Structure formats: structure tokens, C-alpha cells
Amino acid sequence: MVILRNKKFIKNKKASTPIGVGLLVMLTIVLVFFTLYSFNIKNKDIQEKINYPNSLDKIYVREELVNFYANEILDNSIAKGKDNLKENVKAELIRYKDKEGKYLVEGLKQLEEQTDKIKVEGSKVSWKFNMTLQYSEENLKISYNYNKDIEKKLS
């Protein structure tokens, strides 16, 4: 008889789960979707940060170009003679302008403004200048300042 009661009891009882189990399943589903959403958002930020070194490389390339042309301009000016060296440097700088009067390399205009810092001391020529290079993209703005000291020996 006990067995019949148990069978009868099981047949009459409605099958349901406790509220705690249902809440656990619902919260697990919400947590999974929230985690996937947050990883998706952070993934976009990571992709933006990876692009920044490329922008810095562009600034460093500009710096190297300015330094190269400053050395070349100073070498060509020294070859013309140490007399009127500042005027020779200004004349060399004009060679790097296009028809509209713009410099082919960003930063050469700043060199033109700093030709008064060229000093001749004995058999050495030194040119100390300050340079500010700028680069900007959609969400990024870079301003790069540096000081350069070029020293050459007069022949």
C-alpha cells in the first residue's frame, strides 16, 4: 500500500522546479550575454590603440626627414663658403619650396625661422633649433616637440 500511495502521490503532484533554479538559469543567461557584449566593446578599444603606434611612426619619419634636410642644407651651405652662411642656408631652403611657395617637407618653414641660431666658432658650425611637428586623425592629435643640435666642421 505504501507503494501505491507513492505512485498516486507522484501522479497527482504537478511537476515544477523551485524558484531558485529558475532564477539561476535566467541570471546565467543574462551574465553570458553581458559578458559577450562587454568583450565586444573592449575589442573595439583595443583595435584603436593598435593604430596609435603607426601614427607615432609617421611623426618619427617626419622628424628624420627634417633632420636629413637640415644636414643637407647645412652641408651645401658650407660648401658654398663660410662667409654669409646664414644667407646661404636661406638660399638652400628656397630650393625646397614648390611653385606656390610651400615647403615640400613639413618643418622646413620652422628651420627658415631659426637660421639666426647658426653659429660659426673657429672651425665648427653649429645649428641648434627647436622643432614642433603635428599629426592628427579622427580621434587622435599628436604634437611632437624636440630640440636638435647639428655640428659640422669647416674644411
Side-chain angles (χ1 to χ4, degrees):
M1 271 212 176
V2 174
I3 298 174
L4 287 177
R5 272 192 199 167
N6 286 343
K7 286 183 180 180
K8 188 175 185 182
F9 180 71
I10 292 174
K11 287 181 182 179
N12 288 340
K13 184 178 179 184
K14 295 182 179 178
S16 64
T17 58
I19 294 175
V21 173
L23 285 175
L24 180 66
V25 169
M26 293 300 289
L27 289 175
T28 304
I29 291 171
V30 168
L31 182 64
V32 166
F33 282 114
F34 177 75
T35 305
L36 291 174
Y37 177 75
S38 65
F39 282 143
N40 190 21
I41 296 295
K42 288 184 180 182
N43 190 18
K44 291 179 184 175
D45 291 340
I46 290 171
Q47 288 174 353
E48 282 185 30
K49 291 178 184 174
I50 289 173
N51 291 331
Y52 292 162
N54 295 335
S55 303
L56 289 175
D57 285 342
K58 291 177 185 177
I59 288 287
Y60 292 144
V61 166
R62 289 181 186 174
E63 176 190 9
E64 291 300 319
L65 278 172
V66 169
N67 293 342
F68 171 77
Y69 284 115
N71 276 309
E72 184 175 313
I73 289 167
L74 195 57
D75 286 339
N76 292 340
S77 300
I78 290 171
K80 291 180 182 178
K82 71 176 185 176
D83 299 332
N84 299 325
L85 188 61
K86 293 179 184 180
E87 288 78 21
N88 292 343
V89 168
K90 288 180 182 180
E92 281 292 317
L93 278 166
I94 290 173
R95 290 182 43 210
Y96 296 100
K97 287 185 178 181
D98 61 5
K99 293 177 183 178
E100 299 171 356
K102 292 174 117 180
Y103 282 103
L104 301 175
V105 177
E106 177 191 352
L108 292 182
K109 181 176 182 179
Q110 294 178 42
L111 285 179
E112 182 181 23
E113 297 167 355
Q114 299 184 47
T115 54
D116 58 329
K117 295 182 180 180
I118 298 173
K119 295 181 182 176
V120 179
E121 298 172 351
S123 64
K124 283 187 177 181
V125 175
S126 66
W127 189 7
K128 295 181 181 181
F129 57 86
N130 305 324
M131 190 64 55
T132 301
L133 301 175
Q134 296 180 347
Y135 178 78
S136 61
E137 286 182 1
E138 295 173 10
N139 298 329
L140 175 68
K141 190 172 189 179
I142 299 173
S143 181
Y144 179 67
N145 301 320
Y146 74 97
N147 300 323
K148 181 71 175 175
D149 186 11
I150 300 174
E151 291 186 1
K152 302 282 182 181
K153 289 185 179 180
L154 293 173
S155 50

